[in-house]
Amino acid sequence: MRWRISILSIFIYLFFLPAFSQVSFKTVVPHKPIAPGESFQVQYVLENAKEINDFSPPSFPNFKIVAGPNVYSGKKFIANNESVDYKNLVFTLAAVGEGKFKIHGATCVVDGKFIKSNDVIVEVIFPKELDESPYFLKPGEDPFKKISENLFLKLIIDKQTCFIGEPLVATFKLYSRLQSRANVIKNPGFYGFSVYDMINVNDKIRSEEKLNGYWFDVHTVRKVQLYPLQAGTFIIDAMELANQVELSRSAVNKKTEQEVSENMYGNNEIENVRKANVEVYDMNVKTKPVIIKVKPLPSKNEADTFAGAVGNFTINAFLEKDSLLRNEETSLIVEIKGAGNFQRVNAPVINWPQTIEAFEPSLTDTFNKQQVPLTGQRSFKYVFLSGRPGQHTIPSISFSFFNLKTKTYKTVSTKPLSVFVNSQGKEHNSLKSQVTAGTVKNKSTWALWLYAAGALVLIAGAFVWLQNKLHIIRKIQEQKEIENISKPRTSIEEILMPAQLALSSENNFFYKELNQQMWNYFYDRFQLSGIQMNKNVLQTVLITKGIESNLVERLIDIIRQCEAGIYTKAEINLDKMKLFQNAQQILTTIENSLTGEKGVS
């Protein structure tokens, strides 16, 4: 019976073991042999450790400590969109002699428990031909040719042809077999794309790759998600790094030690470590420009509510409160979840009942930029109120997108929502009449007649007063109309002046100013306000006024670009001056059309 219990206990332990976060402590060294005099890294990697105390590295007999320990920490993403915390303690050692040597594990106390990492074996072998070492510069050998063969920058992209809104991943990697320091002196411009950074130079992501029979030290300098904003042919231009490379005239073999940073220069440390027979060369490396072809989305079966979102999304809506007092504010929350180009996920158009007054929504983003395509949620919060008691229904809210997998347009919708408005107003103090039914019954008949006569007199007087008031109001309105006809309208240049002054400001401020001044123009010309201030209403009004549909589409696209610049944290590489000039030209053409003049399209 006892052995059965023991087996059951082991089974339960093994079954539930993956459900608990286990502390991992391991020793990592290069998997290939090391040459005498060559330096290499020993890494002690701790995962899922909350509290670390009494870290104790081993002694390193037969090796010389070159540097360390250096401590790095961060998160490592694993399956199911989960992550684990890690700490990495790194020593740089140099091999002294040939042989197979044991490097003992380090010890520490983690969360109150003593643990030790694994021991490893490092093999040190003298190379057959020492002069093949990339660190050794032979007599008469061209140093720059040697550097170009052993140090280069590559741009790796997952596709060169894609649809508008379809993500592509660009990775910039520095390959090196040399002792060098690199500084990023030019980051590429991603014109025509929205950009989400996944890895940058400060993350210090390093690996090893074998190319043409040689092992290279590889640094991921930058990794980004790119979302094309429009169809056409675009170029990802060059990234450029300035390198200081150390070569030796002495016959030694030295392990690659590549350091990559930004704004490194001004640091003279490299000058202080030069030794006899060591020479340092300056050389720049850069990627080649890459052409990306962006295809337009199919026009067939495009949904009316489609605004450029590409991916796979769901929509949900709910009310913060579904029972209100008159004129009491509450909020409608619309959540759009999924994966795709969230920068084109705009606020859905809501067909509010005429009995409800609503305001422009605020926006909140929650994204995981490590996933491709971008995954997460964009939430819109609409504040609204109503002054009319009763049951009000907010119709179903729709959102459309283009699904890349099925190559079709899809529309998802919410259920209608109901809100009840109480007849009692928010400002009502609920005071009740102090007159009781008994008091009313005791009033005499002649008093009631007296009150009725007084009421009739008051009503008649109010009617006469109201007629006079309406006559005065009509006269004032007629005078204003006369003044408005004679008064010159504000010019386009004056309306857009705040946006022009903001051209040299931060992107977010410029886009906000340009968007605001364009809507100011339409408020002034068409008296659009409140819930009318949305792109769908504006589009309908302009078409009704006889404005060409092509011009209207260009205008709506500029408004969308401004909204993307205001509400998203993506790096949008647009020419602000060109965007401003396009907006000015379009508004001028619309103004000329409205006044009967010939516009420039």
Side-chain angles (χ1 to χ4, degrees), residues 495-511:
I495 291 175
L496 294 182
M497 183 60 70
Q500 186 175 12
L501 295 174
L503 278 167
S504 59
S505 304
E506 294 182 356
N507 286 352
N508 182 277
F509 183 72
F510 165 73
Y511 293 129

Side-chain angles (χ1 to χ4, degrees), residues 347-350 352 358-361 382 515-539 541 556 559 563 567:
V349 175
I350 300 175
W352 295 98
F359 303 94
E360 285 296 305
Y382 301 79
N515 187 63
Q516 181 63 50
Q517 302 315 318
M518 285 193 294
W519 281 112
N520 285 346
Y521 169 79
F522 294 116
Y523 170 79
D524 180 68
R525 297 310 190 255
F526 305 127
Q527 288 74 52
L528 296 181
S529 62
I531 61 174
Q532 296 177 322
M533 301 282 276
N534 68 71
K535 296 185 289 294
N536 282 3
V537 172
L538 176 61
Q539 194 167 11
V541 170
I556 297 300
I559 294 175
E563 289 173 345
Y567 298 119

Side-chain angles (χ1 to χ4, degrees), residues 10 121 163 297 303 317 417 504 506 555 569 576 597:
I10 294 171
I121 300 295
F163 284 102
L297 297 175
L417 298 171
S504 59
E506 294 182 356
L555 172 69
K569 296 181 180 179
K576 292 191 290 185
E597 299 177 17

Side-chain angles (χ1 to χ4, degrees), residues 248-458:
S248 176
R249 294 290 181 182
S250 301
V252 296
N253 191 8
K254 199 169 184 181
K255 175 73 171 71
T256 300
E257 288 185 7
Q258 175 71 46
E259 180 182 333
V260 188
S261 62
E262 289 186 289
N263 303 319
M264 180 195 73
Y265 293 134
N267 184 348
N268 295 321
E269 182 181 353
I270 194 167
E271 299 293 335
N272 299 330
V273 296
R274 293 186 180 179
K275 303 177 179 65
N277 296 321
V278 171
E279 298 175 0
V280 175
Y281 296 88
D282 293 334
M283 183 172 177
N284 290 9
V285 295
K286 61 182 181 180
T287 61
K288 295 180 180 179
V290 174
I291 296 176
I292 305 296
K293 294 182 178 179
V294 181
K295 299 182 292 184
L297 297 175
S299 57
K300 185 178 180 181
N301 299 325
E302 180 178 328
D304 293 337
T305 54
F306 179 71
V310 176
N312 193 15
F313 301 94
T314 61
I315 188 171
N316 180 47
F318 61 91
L319 298 168
E320 286 188 342
K321 292 175 65 176
D322 58 7
S323 181
L324 310 172
L325 301 176
R326 280 192 304 109
N327 298 320
E328 179 184 3
E329 291 184 356
T330 189
S331 297
L332 167 67
I333 311 296
V334 180
E335 296 176 338
I336 297 177
K337 300 179 182 179
N341 61 335
F342 272 93
Q343 76 277 7
R344 296 306 294 268
V345 174
N346 299 321
V349 175
I350 300 175
N351 298 316
W352 295 98
Q354 293 184 352
T355 54
I356 289 180
E357 182 181 1
F359 303 94
E360 285 296 305
S362 59
L363 180 149
T364 303
D365 288 335
T366 306
F367 298 147
N368 182 353
K369 298 179 182 179
Q370 300 301 320
Q371 296 290 318
V372 181
L374 193 70
T375 61
Q377 171 180 305
R378 173 163 283 183
S379 300
F380 302 92
K381 183 176 182 179
Y382 301 79
V383 177
F384 70 93
L385 55 85
S386 177
R388 182 176 297 181
Q391 193 78 21
H392 306 274
T393 299
I394 300 172
S396 174
I397 304 166
S398 297
F399 175 75
S400 299
F401 58 90
F402 182 76
N403 191 313
L404 286 170
K405 291 185 178 180
T406 61
K407 300 294 189 294
T408 57
Y409 292 95
K410 185 176 180 180
T411 299
V412 291
S413 302
T414 67
K415 295 180 180 180
L417 298 171
S418 294
V419 58
F420 179 77
V421 178
N422 200 301
S423 59
Q424 181 180 351
K426 185 179 180 182
E427 72 284 357
H428 187 55
N429 58 11
S430 299
L431 289 178
K432 294 183 178 180
S433 173
Q434 302 299 315
V435 181
T436 64
T439 305
V440 174
K441 287 181 180 180
N442 291 332
K443 287 187 176 181
S444 60
T445 304
W446 66 268
L448 291 175
W449 280 106
L450 182 62
Y451 290 147
L456 287 173
V457 172
L458 289 173

Side-chain angles (χ1 to χ4, degrees), residues 483-491:
E483 291 176 357
N484 286 336
I485 292 172
S486 60
K487 181 181 177 181
R489 286 184 171 180
T490 307
S491 67

Side-chain angles (χ1 to χ4, degrees), residues 150-155 171-177 180-183 205 207 216-222 239 241-243 258-261 285-286:
N150 293 281
L151 179 71
F152 48 88
L153 187 63
K154 291 178 66 175
L155 167 58
T171 308
F172 297 85
K173 289 184 174 183
L174 179 63
Y175 291 76
S176 175
R177 298 178 65 223
S180 68
R181 292 188 176 191
N183 182 44
I205 302 299
S207 61
F216 283 81
D217 187 68
V218 182
H219 283 261
T220 301
V221 182
R222 193 176 183 191
M239 171 182 279
L241 274 65
N243 296 272
Q258 175 71 46
E259 180 182 333
V260 188
S261 62
V285 295
K286 61 182 181 180

